[in-house]
Amino acid sequence: MTDAPRRTALDAVHRALGATMTDFAGWDMPLRYASERDEHVAVRTRAGLFDLSHMGEITVTGPRAADLLDHALVGNIGSVKPGRARYTMICQEDGGILDDLIVYRLGEQEYLVVANASNAQTVLDALTARAGGFDAAIRDDRNAYALLAVQGPESPGILKAVTDADLDGLKYYAGLPGTVAGVPALIARTGYTGEDGFELFVRPEDAAALWEALLAAGKDVGLVPCGLSCRDTLRLEAGMPLYGHELTTATTPFDAGLGRVVKFEKTSNGGAFVGRAALEAAAARAEEQPPRTLVGLIAEGRRVPRAGYAVVDAAGTVIGEVTSGAPSPTLGKPVAMAYVDAAHAAPGTEGVKVDIRGSHEPYEVVALPFYKREK
């Protein structure tokens, strides 16, 4: 017998809206409400409202909270100013990625670590295991928050209608406490869609009222509820990695083309952090002999590539593997992200194909992302 999936504070709202639900990382989550393509287009052109309450929040506090996070994570967390956030990763000693994270600095001695739903317990356990010797406390706050996101070009106007917080002064990857539709919230300007948008951390008991207030505020500009399906195609078009696909314990940040998140120059703890030696070796290898490179692939035909499909050259030799693939509503063609040999990674490389059930379908190699919004 397996445990039943957990339900978010918005579960009844999703079901009342007729959402198609799915088990995702142990949570019962909305996959779509109607047409996933329509939801995708709404986010690109107007706005979409997401329930992200399955994400894992972990609070780290204390005089040496920054030192603990600098030791446990690959980023320079101590340099993050209060009110700002940073994208980073937590790695194993061998450099393999346990998860990618966003860390918000809420105060001088308080940080909010947001992990992927599938890895929240792993991250909590790793932080706890790495906390020895640091004057810092780790608190599992997964039940303390519901998380809503408003994404899309109309999102600033929608949120301004229900808050007096200084949204114009809120930079990308920053957060501030405020009140939204009468509900206390941490308002963060982050997202996973390639569009401007906001994520709202609130108490679970306030989530339903906030959801309804946001839908009402966005009604006249086309805000629609959105599920996980369009969230995946949006992040794929934006070239954003997904744990379990582009990022795994068998992949270092340098393998994933994200070596920039590793900060060897940080000075706290004498510059030591978990996985440093392995990551220095990975960085050196990447300089001397580039590993497989994460690239974009755009189909010449209509067949959709899926994760795990082989990428081959003109002779049929395997040169890589698809990590994510789907039809792109914005481009009107199937697209994929794939790790390919460095010799075939340059945009425009000819002869690259994807083996789709024995048929070698031609693909154009392009630089990521597929889509980038106009500022």
Side-chain angles (χ1 to χ4, degrees):
M1 295 290 289
T2 58
D3 293 335
R6 297 179 65 185
R7 296 185 175 188
T8 77
L10 292 165
D11 183 76
V13 173
H14 301 319
R15 294 176 191 278
L17 289 170
T20 299
M21 306 296 287
T22 188
D23 184 349
F24 182 82
W27 290 83
D28 213 9
M29 298 296 296
L31 187 64
R32 69 181 71 83
Y33 296 85
S35 161
E36 56 199 50
R37 184 185 184 282
D38 289 349
E39 292 171 20
H40 180 113
V41 172
V43 175
R44 286 278 178 258
T45 61
R46 304 184 305 277
L49 178 60
F50 296 84
D51 178 11
L52 307 180
S53 302
H54 60 314
M55 301 294 282
E57 295 87 5
I58 302 163
T59 301
V60 182
T61 58
R64 296 199 65 198
D67 290 339
L68 165 57
L69 292 171
D70 276 342
H71 164 69
L73 311 180
V74 302
N76 189 351
I77 307 304
S79 68
V80 178
K81 293 180 171 60
R84 298 307 302 266
R86 181 154 297 167
Y87 175 77
T88 187
M89 295 181 184
I90 183 167
C91 291
Q92 301 177 144
E93 282 284 6
D94 66 2
I97 301 167
L98 284 171
D99 201 15
D100 61 333
L101 312 164
I102 296 178
V103 179
Y104 299 89
R105 188 169 190 175
L106 304 182
E108 287 297 329
Q109 298 184 7
E110 183 178 5
Y111 295 82
L112 180 65
V113 178
V114 182
N116 286 296
S118 58
N119 294 329
Q121 188 63 49
T122 298
V123 173
L124 178 64
D125 291 345
L127 287 175
T128 302
R130 297 172 187 187
F134 292 95
D135 185 6
I138 298 168
R139 186 173 69 238
D140 180 0
D141 272 345
R142 284 176 287 179
N143 293 327
Y145 290 102
L147 178 57
L148 282 65
V150 186
Q151 297 281 305
E154 297 286 353
S155 59
I158 292 168
L159 205 55
K160 284 178 182 179
V162 290
T163 185
D164 58 3
D166 180 18
L167 299 185
D168 291 335
L170 186 63
K171 297 178 180 179
Y172 187 52
Y173 264 68
L176 81 166
T179 300
V180 183
V183 169
L186 170 64
I187 306 167
R189 199 163 204 159
T190 49
Y192 193 53
T193 64
E195 299 297 339
D196 191 11
F198 303 86
E199 296 188 338
L200 307 171
F201 295 83
V202 300
R203 297 174 303 200
E205 58 267 30
D206 293 331
L210 179 57
W211 177 277
E212 297 299 338
L214 290 167
L215 280 183
K219 181 179 179 181
D220 291 342
V221 293
L223 174 70
V224 300
C226 293
L228 294 183
S229 184
C230 83
R231 182 172 162 86
D232 189 49
T233 53
L234 289 160
R235 70 91 194 169
L236 175 56
E237 288 184 349
M240 295 179 172
L242 175 64
Y243 195 87
H245 290 253
E246 288 72 41
L247 310 176
T248 68
T249 53
T251 308
T252 73
F254 294 94
D255 297 329
L258 292 167
R260 64 183 181 275
V261 308
V262 181
K263 304 300 182 184
F264 294 121
E265 69 275 15
K266 57 184 173 180
T267 57
S268 60
N269 311 312
F273 61 91
V274 176
R276 177 174 185 130
L279 290 170
E280 285 177 328
R285 285 196 306 272
E287 284 289 329
E288 295 172 7
Q289 184 175 1
R292 282 185 167 177
T293 302
L294 188 64
V295 301
L297 300 175
I298 300 177
E300 295 182 17
R302 308 303 304 174
R303 299 190 71 182
V304 178
R306 299 298 183 189
Y309 286 7
V311 181
V312 300
D313 63 13
T317 303
V318 174
I319 58 168
E321 183 176 310
V322 172
T323 54
S324 297
S328 165
T330 304
L331 275 64
K333 299 178 180 180
V335 300
M337 287 197 283
Y339 283 112
V340 301
D341 294 345
H344 295 85
T349 300
E350 296 182 355
V352 173
K353 303 179 180 182
V354 176
D355 186 339
I356 301 180
R357 298 187 178 89
S359 175
H360 291 182
E361 301 290 330
Y363 275 75
E364 177 188 1
V365 179
V366 299
L368 292 168
F370 300 103
Y371 166 86
K372 193 170 185 178
R373 70 182 176 93
E374 296 181 5
K375 299 295 184 182

